[in-house]
Amino acid sequence: MSDEIALRPVTAEDLDLYEREFIGQDGYGVHPWSGLRSAAGPRRRFDGTAK
Protein backbone atom coordinates (compact mmCIF):
# COMPACT_ATOMS: atom_id res chain seq x y z
CA MET A 1 0.00 0.00 0.00
CA SER A 2 1.33 3.41 -0.98
CA ASP A 3 1.55 6.34 1.41
CA GLU A 4 0.75 8.78 -1.39
CA ILE A 5 -2.58 10.55 -1.64
CA ALA A 6 -3.86 11.71 -5.01
CA LEU A 7 -6.43 14.50 -5.18
CA ARG A 8 -8.67 15.23 -8.13
CA PRO A 9 -10.66 18.30 -9.10
CA VAL A 10 -14.21 18.63 -7.78
CA THR A 11 -16.94 17.79 -10.28
CA ALA A 12 -20.61 18.78 -10.48
CA GLU A 13 -21.52 15.24 -9.36
CA ASP A 14 -19.46 15.79 -6.19
CA LEU A 15 -21.65 18.79 -5.39
CA ASP A 16 -24.77 16.62 -5.66
CA LEU A 17 -23.28 14.22 -3.11
CA TYR A 18 -22.25 17.11 -0.85
CA GLU A 19 -25.77 18.53 -0.89
CA ARG A 20 -27.30 15.14 -0.05
CA GLU A 21 -24.84 14.24 2.70
CA PHE A 22 -24.10 17.53 4.44
CA ILE A 23 -27.00 19.87 3.79
CA GLY A 24 -30.07 17.62 3.55
CA GLN A 25 -31.74 15.93 6.52
CA ASP A 26 -31.43 12.50 4.91
CA GLY A 27 -27.65 12.49 5.09
CA TYR A 28 -26.84 14.76 8.01
CA GLY A 29 -29.75 13.87 10.26
CA VAL A 30 -32.59 15.82 11.81
CA HIS A 31 -30.90 17.32 14.88
CA PRO A 32 -27.29 18.38 14.10
CA TRP A 33 -26.82 22.14 13.78
CA SER A 34 -24.05 23.66 11.72
CA GLY A 35 -25.62 27.08 11.25
CA LEU A 36 -27.68 28.49 8.45
CA ARG A 37 -26.07 27.60 5.15
CA SER A 38 -27.24 27.98 1.63
CA ALA A 39 -27.12 24.81 -0.45
CA ALA A 40 -26.45 27.04 -3.46
CA GLY A 41 -23.21 28.54 -2.09
CA PRO A 42 -20.79 25.72 -2.97
CA ARG A 43 -22.42 25.32 -6.39
CA ARG A 44 -22.07 29.08 -7.12
CA ARG A 45 -18.38 28.94 -6.13
CA PHE A 46 -17.91 25.91 -8.37
CA ASP A 47 -19.62 27.64 -11.29
CA GLY A 48 -17.62 30.81 -10.70
CA THR A 49 -20.71 32.92 -10.09
CA ALA A 50 -20.14 33.60 -6.39
CA LYS A 51 -19.89 37.24 -5.33
Side-chain angles (χ1 to χ4, degrees), residues 14-33:
D14 295 328
L15 294 174
D16 295 337
L17 175 65
Y18 173 79
E19 289 172 358
R20 275 195 315 273
E21 294 295 321
F22 296 106
I23 296 175
Q25 284 187 358
D26 292 337
Y28 207 91
V30 177
H31 301 292
W33 174 256

Side-chain angles (χ1 to χ4, degrees), residues 28 32-38:
Y28 207 91
W33 174 256
S34 59
L36 297 173
R37 294 184 180 194
S38 169

Side-chain angles (χ1 to χ4, degrees), residues 12 15 40-50:
L15 294 174
R43 194 167 297 274
R44 279 196 309 263
R45 286 191 296 277
F46 177 79
D47 294 336
T49 59

